[in-house]
Amino acid sequence: ELKVEQNPLFLSMQEGKNYTIYCNYSTTSDRLYWYRQDPGKSLESLFVLLSNGAVKQEGRLMASLDTKARLSTLHITAAVHDLSATYFCAGRAGGTSYGKLTFGQGTILTVHP
Amino acid sequence: DVKVTQSSRYLVKRTGEKVFLECVQDMDHENMFWYRQDPGLGLRLIYFSYDVKMKEKGDIPEGYSVSREKKERFSLILESASTNQTSMYLCATWGWMDTEAFFGQGTRLTVV
């Protein structure tokens, strides 16, 4: 059974600083997802990582995947207030059907001046 | 753009009531899912469906059932609502050729 754990669960950052959110998973996952959720809103897809060593970047966010370590990271560069949200990672266990994702607990990110 | 629409944004129901949460998608996707979201627990899968009239249990199906009579519509049913079912419920769809899921806006259900 795939288990996904994120840390930290709460992250308070100053604007302009860098930080990393970690996502560990327990068994083979053939892809790894990162989602963003604003308060009261649904999930917005950020990144889909399909293979070992995959790195994707969008603006101040960069995601990477190390399948050997069973670890994905979401790196935030020079944080700005607009990045305040909850971030989820999710894995899909190998051999399972499309969309049967297992989510981490979520990281609540607050960026303040 | 994929559109996944949940019938209500907010619902308040009484303990013991039968509750229906509806989800409709317009992209002809075969796969539909119901998740429940609680603080500190992330999203947990309740039920999913690969096709019309097909359903499979997810990780936390107790107290819930589902119905999929038409491809575009997937309903989550709380047979007898209880206070521990107060939560945010999210519907998602996935096409066989897609690499990711698409989520509805969520229904925040309060059972009193």
Side-chain angles (χ1 to χ4, degrees), chain B residues 12-31:
Chain B
V12 180
K13 296 292 181 180
R14 294 192 180 279
T15 301
E17 275 194 77
K18 190 168 185 175
V19 181
F20 293 85
L21 304 183
E22 307 283 344
C23 176
V24 178
Q25 50 105 354
D26 66 355
M27 282 301 293
D28 204 35
H29 283 173
E30 296 81 4
N31 308 290

Side-chain angles (χ1 to χ4, degrees), chain A residues 1 9 31 33 35 37 40-43 45 48 50 86 88 92 96-106, chain B residues 9 31 33 35 37 40-43 45 48 50 59 88 90 94-96 98-101 103-106:
Chain A
E1 182 189 343
L9 300 187
R31 52 189 66 185
Y33 299 82
Y35 286 91
Q37 185 181 41
K41 300 288 181 67
S42 189
L43 272 69
S45 176
V48 181
L50 299 178
T86 301
F88 291 97
R92 189 185 82 170
T96 61
S97 54
Y98 289 88
K100 192 170 183 289
L101 299 177
T102 299
F103 283 81
Q105 310 95 309
Chain B
R9 292 294 305 275
N31 308 290
F33 306 83
Y35 288 89
Q37 181 182 2
L41 297 177
L43 279 72
L45 182 63
F48 58 106
Y50 297 132
D59 300 318
M88 169 75 96
L90 289 158
W94 196 302
W96 292 116
D98 290 318
T99 56
E100 60 181 302
F103 284 84
Q105 77 275 31

Side-chain angles (χ1 to χ4, degrees), chain A residues 99-113:
Chain A
K100 192 170 183 289
L101 299 177
T102 299
F103 283 81
Q105 310 95 309
T107 297
I108 300 174
L109 171 64
T110 305
V111 181
H112 49 85

Side-chain angles (χ1 to χ4, degrees), chain A:
Chain A
E1 182 189 343
L2 176 63
K3 292 191 191 304
V4 179
E5 290 202 357
Q6 287 179 236
N7 72 84
L9 300 187
F10 300 92
L11 181 51
S12 181
M13 294 178 66
Q14 268 192 309
E15 280 189 331
K17 299 288 188 186
N18 305 332
Y19 210 83
T20 300
I21 299 171
Y22 297 89
C23 176
N24 292 91
Y25 54 97
S26 60
T27 65
T28 303
S29 177
D30 65 351
R31 52 189 66 185
L32 201 293
Y33 299 82
W34 285 95
Y35 286 91
R36 169 182 171 144
Q37 185 181 41
D38 293 302
K41 300 288 181 67
S42 189
L43 272 69
E44 172 192 355
S45 176
L46 292 174
F47 302 108
V48 181
L49 303 168
L50 299 178
S51 58
N52 187 44
V55 177
K56 290 196 174 180
Q57 182 159 7
E58 180 77 32
R60 300 174 188 273
L61 300 178
M62 183 173 71
S64 66
L65 179 62
D66 181 344
T67 58
K68 292 178 182 174
R70 294 181 183 159
L71 172 68
S72 180
T73 60
L74 181 67
H75 187 71
I76 302 153
T77 302
V80 293
H81 183 260
D82 285 352
L83 290 179
S84 296
T86 301
Y87 293 85
F88 291 97
C89 65
R92 189 185 82 170
T96 61
S97 54
Y98 289 88
K100 192 170 183 289
L101 299 177
T102 299
F103 283 81
Q105 310 95 309
T107 297
I108 300 174
L109 171 64
T110 305
V111 181
H112 49 85

Side-chain angles (χ1 to χ4, degrees), chain B residues 20-68:
Chain B
F20 293 85
L21 304 183
E22 307 283 344
C23 176
V24 178
Q25 50 105 354
D26 66 355
M27 282 301 293
D28 204 35
H29 283 173
E30 296 81 4
N31 308 290
M32 296 187 74
F33 306 83
W34 276 106
Y35 288 89
R36 169 179 172 156
Q37 181 182 2
D38 299 289
L41 297 177
L43 279 72
R44 294 176 291 166
L45 182 63
I46 305 171
Y47 266 97
F48 58 106
S49 168
Y50 297 132
D51 203 347
V52 176
K53 297 195 187 295
M54 281 201 55
K55 59 185 178 186
E56 286 202 31
K57 293 180 180 179
D59 300 318
I60 52 164
E62 296 78 19
Y64 303 94
S65 62
V66 290
S67 171
R68 192 161 180 205

